[in-house]
């Protein structure tokens, strides 16, 4: 139950709530003029503050974010299962809406070694999760359900136009979202009800993609399943090949040193080859020079001189012999030099052959080591290439999924809808006890207001787009009766949820719900709410304008003990909830 709504601003008029029926009355003052209005007293602001303290999102239009209220810290004390003393107080301000301050640590899964039970400041998301777990029993996986949505049924907001229809909390709310949360509160299979959301999302995506595919650029981005299937196959093979390379890759610590040695050996071998070519050319020249080197023949000189009649003396002969001997000495020396050069060149050639063989063996060993492994940089490059290729495959798969969705026929989606409808119809047939309980309560409440002759019931059906929950009351479709249908539906929903541990023990209605309701129905509604709250151990909070309450009193209603001590007025300065005008 909600116990106390307060603020750290002394002008704020704190509200104390009790079990059972609580009526927040907005009154006029004796000096009120015709232009004074109780619309600014704070009735709807009370609802907004309750939502603010129970996890509502804050934007620049939110009440608590207004300049005059932003620095005020508002607090709500409420019953809390398992808390020390059975209660917890939550404080929040518009200046720091992302966190709330709890007067005690109520997180049962706290990681703290010691839990001193003192104040705890927690993020708003965590507070919302705690509300869902402790007030609505939502633990584990409950995708499609929202504690905030359920609170919006139990505390309807006029600013969200929540009184337009019984089964939605705002006009644009997706029907499947609202139905899933109502199904949970009423004990139906909320997962089946929530499954409509997935089909609706798929159908919406299909429509958008079909519109986009008409654009030539987007058409190329999405592609066709046949083209993408082939691209995915090739890309997956590239990924497999890179994974295999990485799996067999061996990092060589001295990779750079070995690579440098291989380059040196290769350079040496190339240098040997160049020097061999030069030596072979020189060797050929030397051998040619040897063959061209001959002894000088002077034996023809003496016969020539004899024929000329010239006799050579012994002295002349001696000189010729000396020249001949000198020439032969020169030839011998040249031949010996050429032979030595030839031998030296041939030795160098033979030595380089041996060196080449040794370097060749070493080069093979180094290259084999490099071939079997690589540097760490090479492995990193392979891993980066693999990551890029994997991302490419994932992108292709997303495109393939989009193309599949695009190419899925309307008949396939319709078939899924039919299957879901069939499953939901079968489930509703098996949950006759749950639907019967809610229907009987709704009928009981409606007949209390309009008499036993008025037919009233809840319709449960598996529609094509969502679970259908429709409250029916035979009426003239007046606004007042429409509002009382919402009253009966909300009271039914709150009672059923509370009975079975799927919802809290409070229900709050703004005074706008009672607009256009005649005096007798207003009286009966207040009496019914008080009886049901007392019987079920619950709390019902309603705000009323004093003239509406007076109408009910004229029909015999007694508000004694039900009206809150604080009465809001239209006094300009301090009569409203906040104690000042802004």
């Amino acid at each position: 139950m909600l116990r106390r709504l307060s603020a750290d601003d002394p002008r704020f008029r704190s509200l104390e709530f009790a079990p059972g029926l609580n009526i927040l009355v907005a009154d006029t003052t004796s000096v009120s003029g015709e232009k004074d209005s109780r619309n600014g007293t704070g009735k709807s602001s009370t609802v907004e503050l309750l939502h603010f303290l129970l996890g509502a999102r804050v934007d620049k239009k939110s009440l608590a974010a207004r300049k005059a209220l932003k620095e005020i810290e508002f607090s709500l004390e409420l019953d809390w299962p398992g808390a020390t003393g059975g209660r917890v107080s939550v404080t929040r301000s518009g200046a720091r809406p992302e966190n709330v301050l709890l007067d005690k640590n109520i997180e049962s899964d706290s990681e703290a070694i010691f839990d001193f039970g003192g104040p705890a400041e927690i993020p708003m998301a965590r507070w919302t999760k705690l509300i869902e777990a402790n007030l609505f029993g939502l633990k584990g996986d409950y995708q499609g359900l929202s504690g905030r949505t359920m609170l919006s049924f139990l505390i309807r907001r006029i600013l969200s136009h929540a009184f337009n229809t019984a089964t939605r909390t705002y006009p644009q709310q997706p029907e499947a979202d609202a139905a899933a949360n109502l199904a949970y509160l009423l004990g139906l299979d909320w997962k089946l009800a929530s499954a409509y959301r997935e089909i609706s999302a798929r159908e919406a995506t299909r429509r958008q993609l079909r519109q986009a595919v008409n654009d030539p650029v987007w058409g190329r981005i999405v592609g066709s399943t046949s083209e993408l299937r082939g691209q995915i196959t090739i890309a997956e093979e590239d990924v497999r090949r890179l994974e295999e390379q990485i799996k067999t890759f061996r990092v060589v610590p001295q990779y750079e040193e070995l690579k440098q040695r291989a380059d040196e050996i290769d350079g040496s071998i190339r240098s040997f080859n160049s020097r061999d070519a030069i030596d072979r050319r020189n060797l050929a020249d030397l051998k040619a020079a040897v063959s061209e080197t001959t002894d000088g023949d002077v034996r023809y000189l003496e016969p020539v001189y004899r024929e000329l009649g010239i006799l050579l003396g012994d002295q002349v002969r001696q000189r010729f012999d000396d020249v001949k001997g000198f020439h032969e000495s020169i030839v011998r020396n040249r031949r010996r030099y050429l032979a030595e050069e030839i031998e030296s060149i041939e030795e160098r050639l033979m030595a380089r052959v041996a060196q080449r063989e040794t370097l060749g063996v070493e080069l093979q060993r180094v290259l084999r080591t490099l071939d079997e492994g690589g540097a760490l940089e090479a492995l990193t490059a392979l891993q980066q290439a693999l990551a890029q290729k994997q991302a490419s495959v994932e992108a292709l798969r997303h495109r393939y999924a989009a193309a599949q969705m695009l190419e899925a026929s309307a008949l396939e989606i319709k078939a899924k809808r039919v299957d879901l409808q069939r499953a939901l119809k079968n489930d509703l047939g098996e949950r006759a006890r749950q639907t019967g309980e809610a229907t009987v309560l709704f009928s009981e409440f409606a007949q209390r207001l309009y008499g036993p002759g008025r037919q009233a019931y809840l319709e449960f059906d598996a529609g094509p787009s969502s679970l259908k929950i429709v409250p029916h009351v035979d009426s003239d479709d007046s606004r007042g009766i429409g509002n009382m249908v919402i009253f009966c539906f909300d009271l039914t929903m709150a009672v059923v949820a509370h009975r079975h541990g799927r919802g809290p023990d409070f229900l709050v209605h703004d005074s706008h719900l009672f607009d256009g309701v005649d005096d007798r129905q207003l009286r009966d509604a207040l009496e019914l709410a008080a009886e049901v709250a007392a019987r079920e151990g619950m709390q019902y909070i309603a705000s009323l304008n004093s003239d509406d309450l007076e109408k009910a009193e004229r029909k015999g209603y007694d508000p004694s003990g039900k009206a809150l001590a604080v009465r809001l007025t239209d006094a300009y300065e301090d009569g409203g909830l906040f104690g000042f005008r802004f």
Side-chain angles (χ1 to χ4, degrees):
M1 296 185 186
L2 307 179
R3 296 294 182 172
R4 188 170 190 268
L5 179 64
S6 60
D8 64 353
D9 189 320
R11 295 172 293 179
F12 186 82
R13 308 183 71 186
S14 299
L15 302 178
E16 304 279 350
F17 304 111
L21 176 61
N22 296 259
I23 303 175
L24 176 62
V25 181
D27 207 347
T28 58
T29 63
S30 58
V31 295
S32 298
E34 292 182 358
K35 294 184 179 181
D36 291 324
S37 171
R38 282 166 291 188
N39 288 337
T41 58
K43 303 186 304 296
S44 297
S45 295
T46 300
V47 170
E48 290 301 311
L49 287 179
L50 291 177
H51 272 285
F52 173 68
L53 290 163
L54 291 173
R57 292 182 179 177
V58 174
D59 56 30
K60 60 182 180 181
K61 295 182 179 179
S62 300
L63 176 68
R66 295 188 183 183
K67 184 177 180 180
L69 305 178
K70 193 172 184 179
E71 299 300 327
I72 298 177
E73 291 187 345
F74 297 98
S75 298
L76 174 66
E77 184 179 349
L78 68 159
D79 293 345
W80 195 267
T84 304
R87 296 185 185 181
V88 68
S89 177
V90 56
T91 300
R92 189 184 186 192
S93 71
R96 297 182 66 244
E98 66 279 0
N99 291 326
V100 298
L101 178 64
L102 304 178
D103 67 336
K104 60 195 66 173
N105 191 347
I106 58 173
E107 294 188 272
S108 59
D109 58 347
S110 174
E111 297 180 357
I113 298 176
F114 300 105
D115 183 2
F116 297 102
E121 185 172 359
I122 62 173
M124 180 53 56
R126 181 59 186 153
W127 173 231
T128 302
K129 289 293 184 182
L130 288 172
I131 290 174
E132 291 177 338
N134 290 273
L135 299 188
F136 294 97
L138 292 176
K139 299 177 181 179
D141 183 18
Y142 47 88
Q143 187 175 2
L145 298 184
S146 166
R148 287 293 317 144
T149 299
M150 296 183 200
L151 280 171
S152 295
F153 278 111
L154 296 172
I155 311 176
R156 291 183 184 261
R157 307 166 75 175
I158 187 62
L159 295 180
S160 300
H161 306 286
F163 296 107
N164 289 7
T165 179
T167 54
R168 290 186 182 179
T169 60
Y170 59 94
Q172 294 79 28
Q173 184 177 27
E175 191 177 18
D177 287 352
N181 286 277
L182 285 175
Y184 176 79
L185 292 171
L186 295 173
L188 306 180
D189 191 335
W190 61 269
K191 291 183 179 179
L192 283 176
S194 181
Y196 280 102
R197 298 168 60 251
E198 181 181 349
I199 294 178
S200 297
R202 181 174 179 180
E203 191 170 42
T205 302
R206 180 181 177 276
R207 286 197 301 268
Q208 293 172 357
L209 288 174
R210 185 162 291 282
Q211 292 174 358
V213 81
N214 295 327
D215 182 277
V217 175
W218 279 104
R220 288 195 299 271
I221 291 175
V222 176
S224 66
T225 55
S226 57
E227 293 174 351
L228 291 169
R229 192 180 297 113
Q231 294 176 22
I232 290 173
T233 301
I234 298 301
E236 287 178 340
E237 176 60 23
D238 291 341
V239 168
R240 187 201 64 75
R241 179 177 51 80
L242 286 171
E243 288 177 339
E244 185 65 26
Q245 288 182 15
I246 292 174
K247 182 179 179 181
T248 58
F249 194 91
R250 182 171 61 88
V251 176
V252 178
Q254 304 86 4
Y255 182 84
E256 293 300 329
E257 297 177 8
L258 292 175
K259 182 179 177 182
Q260 182 178 357
R261 179 57 183 157
D263 292 340
E264 292 175 354
I265 295 173
D266 183 66
S268 297
I269 293 175
R270 290 176 181 272
S271 175
F272 287 168
N273 292 337
S274 298
R275 289 157 66 184
D276 280 357
I278 295 173
D279 281 346
R280 288 193 180 94
R281 186 168 57 250
N282 291 338
L283 182 62
D285 292 341
L286 290 173
K287 288 182 176 180
V290 169
S291 62
E292 292 173 0
T293 302
T294 58
D295 294 333
D297 188 3
V298 294
R299 290 175 297 178
Y300 68 89
L301 290 176
E302 188 171 352
V304 170
Y305 274 95
R306 189 181 296 119
E307 290 176 3
L308 291 175
I310 300 174
L311 297 174
L312 296 177
D314 293 336
Q315 187 176 0
V316 174
R317 263 191 210 96
Q318 181 64 40
R319 289 181 179 176
F320 272 110
D321 291 339
D322 292 341
V323 172
K324 180 179 178 183
F326 176 73
H327 181 71
E328 289 175 350
S329 174
I330 290 175
V331 170
R332 284 195 304 273
N333 290 338
R334 177 172 176 76
R335 283 179 175 173
R336 185 170 59 252
Y337 169 76
L338 292 176
E340 290 175 354
E341 285 296 311
I342 290 172
E343 182 181 1
S344 176
I345 291 175
E346 288 177 342
E347 288 177 354
R348 291 201 300 271
L349 289 172
M350 291 300 295
R352 283 199 287 269
V353 169
Q355 288 178 323
R356 256 196 307 271
E357 290 179 357
T358 302
L359 291 175
V361 172
E362 183 181 359
L363 181 61
Q364 288 180 357
R365 178 178 58 79
V366 172
L367 292 177
R368 184 167 56 252
T369 303
L370 292 176
D371 183 61
E372 292 175 352
L376 183 60
E377 292 81 359
L379 177 60
T380 302
L382 282 175
Q383 291 171 334
Q384 290 176 346
L386 175 61
Q388 292 174 354
K389 186 60 69 174
Q390 287 174 332
S392 175
V393 170
E394 194 63 25
L396 287 171
R397 286 172 180 163
H398 283 302
R399 289 176 59 194
Y400 182 76
Q404 277 188 316
M405 189 175 297
L406 177 62
E407 295 174 8
S409 66
L411 290 177
E412 180 183 351
I413 296 178
K414 184 177 180 180
K416 290 185 177 294
R417 286 191 181 278
V418 170
D419 291 341
L420 182 56
Q421 268 187 279
R422 185 182 300 110
L424 188 54
K425 280 182 178 293
N426 293 336
D427 182 72
L428 288 174
E430 295 172 357
R431 295 179 187 261
R433 182 178 61 80
Q434 289 87 345
T435 57
E437 179 186 19
T439 300
V440 168
L441 277 175
F442 179 80
S443 178
E444 174 193 334
F445 298 158
Q447 289 182 6
R448 276 290 302 274
L449 300 183
Y450 295 103
R454 191 71 62 98
Q455 188 178 21
Y457 60 93
L458 290 177
E459 177 186 354
F460 296 89
D461 191 19
S465 58
S466 74
L467 167 65
K468 297 288 186 182
I469 304 175
V470 184
H472 291 280
V473 175
D474 286 347
S475 66
D476 55 6
D477 293 328
S478 68
R479 179 184 177 188
I481 291 182
N483 285 355
M484 286 299 94
V485 169
I486 295 177
F487 170 83
C488 293
F489 179 79
D490 287 356
L491 195 58
T492 299
M493 172 187 59
V495 168
V496 171
H498 175 60
R499 280 182 180 179
H500 302 284
R502 292 188 295 269
D505 53 3
F506 57 79
L507 177 65
V508 181
H509 278 150
D510 189 283
S511 63
H512 292 82
L513 179 67
F514 303 102
D515 290 346
V517 177
D518 65 35
D519 305 353
R520 188 177 65 83
Q521 272 74 49
L522 178 57
R523 176 203 65 194
D524 292 344
L526 294 175
E527 291 178 347
L528 175 62
E531 291 177 15
V532 171
R535 182 183 72 198
E536 301 291 338
M538 296 180 65
Q539 180 185 60
Y540 181 77
I541 300 173
S543 62
L544 277 177
N545 289 326
S546 57
D547 51 357
D548 287 331
L549 183 59
E550 290 168 0
K551 293 177 185 178
E553 289 180 286
R554 286 195 293 269
K555 290 296 182 178
Y557 180 70
D558 182 9
S560 301
K562 306 294 188 297
L564 299 185
V566 172
R567 291 175 73 97
L568 306 178
T569 72
D570 58 2
Y572 185 79
E573 288 298 331
D574 58 0
L577 177 67
F578 299 96
F580 65 96
R581 292 282 180 171
F582 57 92

